[in-house]
């Protein structure tokens, strides 16, 4: 259906069947496909400040990940391998034989696995502000332990029972921190809060964290098979992850470019869209 928005003149939202679920997907533009995978606590609208510029030269495909937005409220499948299979099935359902993949936060592990396993499908990959399982290279970032919310979210049933009724305040903390106090546009904030409101919505969101050990094993197993990232890859770091992801990825990538955006919070596409576009445009061209 058409979406009333100034994001892109031809932007539409569609429900697309993929890997046994229905995904809510924003589509805009024409040309070589670019698949955008968001993180927590986001929806496809985390890309709202870069979507229209990218759609000038590309077919932009920005789904809500499994379990979010208007998609299927899936009970399971929040590990990286299943999410990668979701992305692969989505591209097939949309008739795309290849795509560049750009991922942020929770979208990074499935994007990495997809590019690792399907270099015929993924032309190139951009990975931002996340870690890849327990791979070496992130020791400095993890010197004080993982971020506090990882443990909080990982305990089955705890975080959703505590936070139900307080979702807006909780999401706002991540949005403020992730933009170094600048915040995000109100309509985007409201969309995020709506997507994460209710005990079931929170449970689905925290399932990503509860599956992190499984995702880490899947990443390690793929590398233990001797697989390498053979497609051109780019990492984009900001605060707090910095260059940790680049350091993790470098031993396994044939062609890797790493960038650090100064004075930029974790939610790179909303906080510093111009800087991000300055990196994406030449890399995707």
């Amino acid at each position: 259906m058409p979406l009333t928005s100034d994001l892109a003149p031809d932007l539409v939202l569609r429900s697309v069947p993929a890997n046994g679920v229905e995904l809510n997907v924003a589509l805009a533009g024409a040309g070589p496909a670019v698949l955008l995978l968001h993180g927590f606590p986001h929806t496809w609208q985390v890309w709202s400040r870069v979507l229209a510029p990218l759609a000038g030269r590309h077919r932009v495909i920005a789904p809500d990940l499994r379990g979010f937005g208007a998609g299927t409220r899936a009970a399971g499948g929040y590990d990286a391998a299943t999410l990668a299979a979701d992305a692969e099935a989505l591209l097939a359902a949309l008739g795309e034989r290849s795509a560049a993949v750009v991922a942020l936060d929770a979208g990074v592990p499935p994007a990495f696995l997809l590019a690792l396993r399907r270099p015929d499908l993924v032309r190139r990959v951009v990975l931002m502000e996340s870690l890849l399982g327990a791979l070496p290279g992130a020791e400095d970032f993890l010197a004080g332990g993982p971020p506090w919310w990882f443990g909080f979210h990982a305990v089955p049933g705890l975080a959703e029972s505590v936070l139900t009724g307080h979702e807006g305040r909780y999401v706002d903390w991540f949005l403020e921190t992730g933009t170094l106090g600048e915040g995000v546009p109100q309509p985007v904030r409201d969309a995020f809060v709506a997507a994460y409101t209710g005990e079931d919505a929170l449970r689905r969101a925290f399932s990503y964290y509860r599956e992190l050990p499984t995702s880490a094993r899947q990443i390690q197993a793929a590398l233990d098979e001797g697989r390498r990232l053979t497609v051109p890859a780019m990492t984009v770091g900001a605060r707090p992850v910095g260059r940790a992801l680049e350091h993790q990825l470098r031993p396994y990538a044939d062609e890797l470019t790493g960038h650090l955006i100064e004075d930029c919070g974790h939610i790179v596409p909303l906080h510093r869209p111009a800087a991000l576009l300055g990196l994406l445009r030449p890399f995707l061209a």
Side-chain angles (χ1 to χ4, degrees):
M1 67 175 182
L3 182 70
T4 303
S5 173
D6 59 359
L7 290 170
D10 62 344
L11 183 68
V12 296
L13 289 180
R14 280 178 53 189
S15 180
V16 181
N19 197 30
V21 295
E22 295 278 336
L23 298 179
N24 180 52
V25 185
L27 299 163
V34 176
L35 176 65
L36 307 177
L37 301 179
H38 69 79
F40 172 88
H42 317 141
T43 67
W44 69 266
Q45 292 194 52
V46 76
W47 308 106
S48 59
R49 287 179 162 172
V50 299
L51 196 150
L54 290 177
R57 296 185 178 182
H58 302 274
R59 186 190 192 193
V60 177
I61 302 166
D64 287 337
L65 295 182
R66 170 182 287 251
F68 296 110
T72 302
R73 296 183 175 183
Y78 295 95
D79 58 282
T82 302
L83 297 169
D86 289 353
E88 182 178 354
L90 173 61
L91 291 172
L94 294 173
E96 295 292 348
R97 296 184 178 181
S98 69
V101 180
V102 180
L104 170 69
D105 189 72
V108 165
F112 173 69
L113 277 182
L114 183 61
L116 198 67
R117 292 173 169 171
R118 290 294 311 274
D120 59 313
L121 178 64
V122 178
R123 295 192 307 274
R124 48 191 55 220
V125 63
V126 180
L127 306 174
M128 291 184 279
E129 278 293 287
S130 185
L131 296 182
L132 288 171
L135 298 184
E139 291 80 8
D140 288 347
F141 174 71
L142 295 172
W148 63 265
W149 57 91
F150 277 60
F152 179 45
H153 294 172
V155 180
L158 175 62
E160 53 266 49
S161 65
V162 172
L163 295 171
T164 300
H166 306 282
E167 297 91 343
R169 185 174 181 183
Y170 195 61
V171 169
D172 283 342
W173 185 87
F174 286 95
L175 301 185
E176 290 293 319
T177 302
T179 56
L180 306 184
E182 294 182 20
V184 305
Q186 190 68 34
V188 175
R189 178 265 181 195
D190 291 346
F192 292 169
V193 171
Y196 291 83
T197 291
E199 187 170 355
D200 183 56
L202 291 170
R203 179 196 60 77
R204 285 180 269 122
F206 301 146
S207 292
Y208 285 88
Y209 293 86
R210 292 163 192 170
E211 290 290 350
L212 283 175
T214 299
S215 298
R217 289 192 295 270
Q218 292 166 344
I219 290 168
Q220 189 62 59
L223 295 171
D224 287 346
E225 294 170 0
R227 296 178 185 269
R228 291 186 57 81
L229 192 61
T230 57
V231 303
M234 181 168 73
T235 58
V236 179
R239 298 186 194 175
V241 179
R243 293 192 179 271
L245 177 58
E246 176 188 349
H247 295 157
Q248 283 189 309
L249 191 57
R250 193 160 292 284
Y252 305 102
D254 288 351
E255 184 180 338
L256 175 64
T257 304
H259 294 281
L260 180 67
I261 302 180
E262 300 290 347
D263 192 31
C264 180
H266 178 69
I267 314 176
V268 180
L270 281 176
H271 191 211
R272 295 289 183 258
L276 179 58
L277 286 167
L279 299 175
L280 288 181
R281 281 173 167 149
F283 185 75
L284 298 178

